Amino acid sequence: MSVAMAGLGNFSFSSKDCLREALKENTSSYTISKDGHVQLNFNDEKVIEAIKKQIDLLEKI
C-alpha cells in the first residue's frame, strides 16, 4: 500500500475497479471487438508514448 493510500482509512479497491477506471481514462487508446479482442490505437499519442517508455525501460535490462 502506498503512503498516500495509507491515510484513507478503510479505502479498498479491486482489480475490477482498477481495470474499469483505466478503461474509462483511456477510451481513445483502444477498441474492443464484439468477441473480446482488444486492439491498441497506434495513432493515439498516449499509446505511442507508453510504448516508447516501455522500450526505454527494456533497454536497461
Side-chain angles (χ1 to χ4, degrees), residues 26-37:
N26 297 293
T27 56
S28 66
S29 301
Y30 66 91
T31 56
I32 302 175
S33 68
K34 290 181 182 180
D35 58 356
H37 290 102

Side-chain angles (χ1 to χ4, degrees), residues 27-59:
T27 56
S28 66
S29 301
Y30 66 91
T31 56
I32 302 175
S33 68
K34 290 181 182 180
D35 58 356
H37 290 102
V38 177
Q39 183 173 2
L40 292 176
N41 176 1
F42 292 112
N43 294 316
D44 185 275
E45 193 63 34
K46 289 191 311 185
V47 171
I48 294 167
E49 288 304 315
I51 292 171
K52 286 180 182 178
K53 181 178 177 183
Q54 292 301 312
I55 290 171
D56 288 343
L57 291 172
L58 287 172
E59 288 176 347

